[in-house]
Structures are given as structure tokens and as C-alpha cells.
Amino acid sequence: MKRLQVAALRNGTVIDHIPANKLFKVFAILDLSNCTETITVGNNLNSQTVGKKGIIKISDRFFSQEEANKISLIAPKAKINIIKEYEVVEKRLLSLPDEVREIVQCVNPACITNHQPVKTFFNVVTENDETHLRCHYCERDVKLEEVKLK
Amino acid sequence: MKIRSLVSITDYNKEEILEILNLAADFEANPNRKTLDGKVIATLFFEPSTRTRLSFETAVNRLGGRIIGFSDSMTSSSVKGETLHDTIKMVGSYADAIVMRHPLEGAARYASEISPVPIINAGDGANQHPSQTLLDLYSILKTQGTLENLKICLVGDLKYGRTVHSLIMAMSHFNPSFRFIAPDELKMPDEYKDFCRKNNIPYEERTELAGNFDDADILYITRVQKERFLDLIEFERVKNVYTLKKSMLEHTKPNLKILHPLPRVNEIAQDVDESPKAYYFQQAQNGLYVRQAIVSKVLMNVPIF
Ligand SMILES: [Zn+2]
């Protein structure tokens, strides 16, 4: 039997296959530091698909598809499993949202959103098999790997 | 009702671009029309640009409208910390339209979303300046008799120069071919070359100016700024190679016209001014008619000629 690297979860959500260097970004994007439920975190675990990976297990929390899609901005290969009574009852597939509001910061220092109380707004654009965010205001493209969270 | 702002040249489709150019031709034939009688237009210049402001204000005056506003944010409320949001809300309650220039990119788009009246973007930092693009198109149309199937050489700072980027977008409706002439440091960004490929617009790239525009209909020259160079020796070299001299025009086409968004520094030698192919001063003057057309269109106050 495969030895579990992180203790099993009874009810809740497991976010697996997070690239190790993205673990804390996922933590931030889901605002988990304000979560009061039990959270178990593992990082730098061995993974077949993403090299060193991170995993987050949250008791009694179930994310909406919208919340889950935020994760795809920073860890598109992450897997989300919903656990009930130690069993995986649902595997959530991640897909990029069409629009991203508020959570991401524009990389352009001269962008209005970095100087005035304007909520950020990006359109998700796919060109030549590459996906990036385009700022609705300054029209600058932000690559997914340079996404900075607010 | 949707408020008709003009923030970016891509806000207008081909028909709307042609509508502006036709209207500009009518205003050129007869610039004094009282179509804005009783209207108040605000010109909010959060950074100074005397050339653009005077052009817009003359356009409004010739149409019989009145102007309120400021020419420099140092004398306005934003220096006291008022947000752009509050300034636009306040001015939008007085004026029928707002012409604005702002140093921050995206400022005009944001203003257009909160303003009760149309916004005309007169430049938002390095981002957009659509009235410049429309006056460039008007100058091309006027001198060539058509916008279709032209060979356009873009010269100078193609990396940071927003006017050339907007010109590519706007000309894409008219089946052009481009030659991009720039030093390696200031080459056309991939984004715009991808745009050309996707729209089947042929383009070539060159690093030398001399001898590379004999087949051109339009030679569009932009300023090469010292601040863009890390290596000042390289800047001195580029500056000299990219100066257009009258002798370089010898083998060019008779219909060639030289455009420049002005102000020029030394990209065009003074002796070029006397050539009939020099068109940059008339180009600036065309801005007046194009801005009359823009203000009329956003206010849906298009005269019947
Ligand atoms: Zn931006």
C-alpha cells in the first residue's frame, strides 16, 4: 500500500499537485490565513507530475467552482478533491475564468489601478497557445507566471 | 443609452473611422459651424500638452461651444488629493463632454466608466491617443486619395512609440503593407508583428533608414529619445543614422509624403521642410478638422452639410 505523505482527511477539500513554489500563493488567493478550520499543509513532497509539490487539506471547507478557478491562475495543474467520510466524492476540474477582478495586481507601475482606488479588471486572453491576462485599463499583458496577487 | 466615449482607436470600427474622416473633410471645407451652440466642453489636462489642448479648444470654439477646464494639474484640485473619480463626477455634472489627458495609463477608460458624459481621450500616459491616430489617417487619405493598399514605412522608436502601434491597428482595415525601420534597441514588439501575421498584413524589418523607402507611399517618422538608451554612444550613432535628409528623397515615389507626430527634434533635417514631400506641418493642422469631427460625433451632433 502507498504510504500517505500527509494525514488523511475525513471531510473537506484536498488541493493537490501544487508546484512547491506556488503553495503559499494558493494559500493567499483562497485567503486561507483567515480560515478557522483545521488546515494541514505539506510541501516539497515528491510528485510524478510537477516535480516537488505542495498539498493543502482543509477540514469542512468546500469551495465553489468560482473560488476553485482562481487557483488555475497560479497552479493550473492543481487537482481539487472533495472528501466525504475519507472518500473522494468529487474531483473538481479547474478552468481559467474569462475575467479576473480585484485579486490580481497590474504589473504596469503607470497603470491607473496602482495609483487610484480603482478595482483591477483583467480579461483572460489566449493567443498562440499562450494564455495571459490583459489589463482592461492600461491594456498591458500580464503573463500567468508573473501574476502578482493583491 | 450607451455613452459614446472615444478612449482607444479600437473603440471605432472601419465604418466609424471613415465617418470621422468624411466629417473632417466637411469641416475642412467649412470649419466655422455653430453645431455646438450652447454646449460646454471640459478640457482636463492633468499633465500639460499645449499642442493637443489648443487643437481641441480651437475645434470647440470654431463649432460655437464653450470651454471650461484646466491645463495643468498643479493648479487644479487633484493636487489637493482629490481622486480622479471625484473630479470626473464633478466636471461631468457641469459639462456636456470631457476631453482629458492624464499621465496614468487607463485613466481615460476608467473615467469613461464613471462619467455621466462622453470622454475623449487626449492621451493616457504611454497608452492611447486616438485623435492623433485619426489625424494620421486623415493625412494619409488626403494626400494619397485612398487608404487602401498603401506601402507604409514606420521609422524610429517602434518599441515605445504608441502612435505607430495605433496606426498599425487602424490601418489594418485597409490592406496595407508595412516596413518597420528601427535600431535593434527599439524594434517593433512581437505583439504587433503577431497582429500583422494574424491579419495577413505583410511586413518587413530593416535597421538602416537610407535607401529603404524608395517604394513607400508614406514615411512615418517618430522621435528616438535619449532616455531609451542605456549606452549613450549607441544613442549618438542611432541618432545620426536615423536623421532624414533631403538628399535621401531623390529616388522616392512622387506621391511619397513624410509624416511625423511632432514635436520633432533632429529626426528630420531642416532642409527636408522645403520638399513638397514634407507634410508634417499640414498633418498637425489637419488635427483641428479631425478633432471637430470627434467632438461632434461623441455629442451625436453631426451637422448636415
Ligand atoms: Zn493595468
Side-chain angles (χ1 to χ4, degrees):
Chain A
M1 203 186 99
K2 206 175 127 192
R3 221 176 80 217
L4 289 173
Q5 293 188 85
V6 177
L9 182 72
R10 184 168 184 173
N11 289 306
T13 304
V14 178
I15 308 165
D16 200 356
H17 296 279
I18 306 166
N21 59 345
K22 297 286 170 63
L23 180 93
F24 288 99
K25 281 197 163 186
V26 172
F27 220 81
I29 210 166
L30 295 172
D31 195 25
L32 292 180
S33 50
N34 289 320
C35 172
T36 52
E37 308 296 343
T38 306
I39 301 176
T40 319
V41 176
N43 206 15
N44 296 319
L45 309 172
N46 290 320
S47 155
Q48 308 267 307
T49 50
V50 290
K52 293 283 182 187
K53 72 167 184 179
I55 186 168
I56 303 173
K57 299 188 175 195
I58 310 134
S59 297
D60 302 312
R61 244 324 262 283
F62 306 94
F63 296 102
S64 68
Q65 188 67 43
E66 201 187 352
E67 281 178 296
N69 286 346
K70 288 181 184 175
I71 300 169
S72 66
L73 286 173
I74 38 185
K77 288 184 177 149
K79 298 208 165 33
I80 298 195
N81 294 325
I82 312 291
I83 312 287
K84 298 244 165 94
E85 289 301 323
Y86 302 107
E87 298 280 341
V88 176
V89 293
E90 191 188 335
K91 286 181 185 287
R92 277 264 160 83
L93 291 173
L94 294 183
S95 65
L96 274 173
D98 295 332
E99 293 177 352
V100 179
R101 289 178 192 266
E102 291 186 63
I103 52 175
V104 171
Q105 196 183 339
C106 186
V107 293
N108 177 4
C111 180
I112 185 80
T113 61
N114 288 319
H115 297 265
Q116 298 259 337
V118 180
K119 286 175 183 161
T120 65
F121 174 12
F122 296 85
N123 288 295
V124 178
V125 185
T126 302
E127 283 172 342
N128 305 330
D129 295 331
E130 207 194 38
T131 300
H132 49 255
L133 305 183
R134 180 168 297 156
C135 178
H136 168 72
Y137 293 105
C138 74
E139 305 180 25
R140 180 77 67 92
D141 287 343
V142 183
K143 290 184 186 142
L144 285 186
E145 55 270 26
E146 36 177 53
V147 161
K148 260 197 339 210
L149 301 175
K150 276 203 136 172
Chain B
M1 190 186 71
K2 195 170 171 286
I3 295 172
R4 303 202 38 106
S5 292
L6 175 58
V7 173
S8 161
I9 189 66
T10 50
D11 293 347
Y12 280 175
N13 61 26
K14 182 178 180 175
E15 284 63 41
E16 289 171 305
I17 288 173
L18 291 172
E19 184 193 338
I20 290 285
L21 303 185
N22 285 330
L23 205 51
D26 291 337
F27 281 122
E28 181 166 6
N30 190 351
N32 297 311
R33 304 194 139 255
K34 301 295 171 209
T35 55
L36 295 187
D37 198 21
K39 300 279 184 193
V40 175
I41 312 297
T43 52
L44 307 186
F45 278 62
F46 295 88
E47 70 175 0
S49 172
T50 308
R51 190 182 295 274
T52 304
R53 186 173 57 83
L54 291 182
S55 181
F56 268 111
E57 293 188 353
T58 307
V60 171
N61 278 314
R62 288 203 179 276
L63 297 174
R66 290 181 178 264
I67 299 279
I68 59 168
F70 51 82
S71 56
D72 181 345
S73 66
M74 293 310 284
T75 59
S76 76
S77 56
S78 65
V79 81
K80 299 186 199 113
E82 185 177 68
T83 60
L84 178 62
H85 174 273
D86 291 1
T87 306
I88 294 294
K89 286 282 189 198
M90 183 259 299
V91 176
S93 70
Y94 300 148
D96 298 294
I98 296 172
V99 177
M100 67 177 275
R101 188 183 187 97
H102 199 285
L104 294 174
E105 298 171 26
R109 178 70 64 201
Y110 173 63
S112 75
E113 291 171 347
I114 54 170
S115 171
V117 298
I119 298 284
I120 297 170
N121 185 8
D124 59 329
N127 189 28
Q128 299 289 334
H129 191 15
S131 66
Q132 175 71 47
T133 309
L134 288 163
L135 80 87
D136 291 343
L137 291 188
Y138 184 66
S139 300
I140 295 172
L141 176 64
K142 206 173 133 183
T143 59
Q144 307 297 319
T146 178
L147 290 173
E148 301 284 342
N149 306 310
L150 296 173
K151 177 104 191 171
I152 298 172
C153 290
L154 303 175
V155 182
D157 181 356
L158 306 187
K159 187 174 179 184
Y160 302 101
R162 65 177 171 195
T163 54
V164 293
H165 302 155
S166 300
L167 192 59
I168 292 174
M169 309 300 251
M171 283 304 297
S172 68
H173 301 295
F174 305 102
N175 201 31
S177 60
F178 288 110
R179 187 174 296 131
F180 304 142
I181 304 174
D184 282 331
E185 293 87 341
L186 299 175
K187 276 173 65 173
M188 184 62 73
D190 287 341
E191 182 185 348
Y192 297 98
K193 292 191 268 184
D194 288 345
F195 175 83
C196 287
R197 271 196 292 274
K198 240 176 272 163
N199 289 282
N200 294 315
I201 297 169
Y203 68 86
E204 305 164 304
E205 292 185 278
R206 298 283 186 277
T207 52
E208 299 292 314
L209 174 61
N212 269 326
F213 53 89
D214 286 354
D215 56 346
D217 302 302
I218 293 291
L219 186 60
Y220 195 104
I221 300 188
T222 61
R223 196 142 61 98
V224 173
Q225 286 169 288
K226 199 177 186 170
E227 307 87 86
R228 306 294 188 205
F229 286 81
L230 293 171
D231 181 352
L232 284 184
I233 298 169
E234 186 57 20
F235 169 70
E236 289 301 323
R237 186 194 72 79
V238 163
K239 193 180 73 177
N240 293 326
V241 177
Y242 282 81
T243 299
L244 181 72
K245 299 177 190 74
K246 197 180 176 194
S247 58
M248 294 175 170
L249 300 174
E250 207 183 327
H251 302 291
T252 55
K253 288 172 73 174
N255 63 309
L256 174 76
K257 286 290 182 271
I258 302 155
L259 303 184
H260 188 297
L262 300 183
R264 74 166 156 181
V265 184
N266 47 18
E267 311 79 43
I268 302 176
Q270 293 256 324
D271 66 356
V272 177
D273 295 0
E274 58 205 48
S275 165
K277 294 175 180 175
Y279 194 72
Y280 28 91
F281 295 120
Q282 292 99 311
Q283 178 189 1
Q285 193 191 338
N286 288 337
L288 172 62
Y289 314 124
V290 168
R291 290 180 174 116
Q292 285 184 296
I294 292 168
V295 177
S296 299
K297 184 172 161 68
V298 299
L299 284 171
M300 283 176 285
N301 224 335
V302 176
I304 297 153
F305 284 91

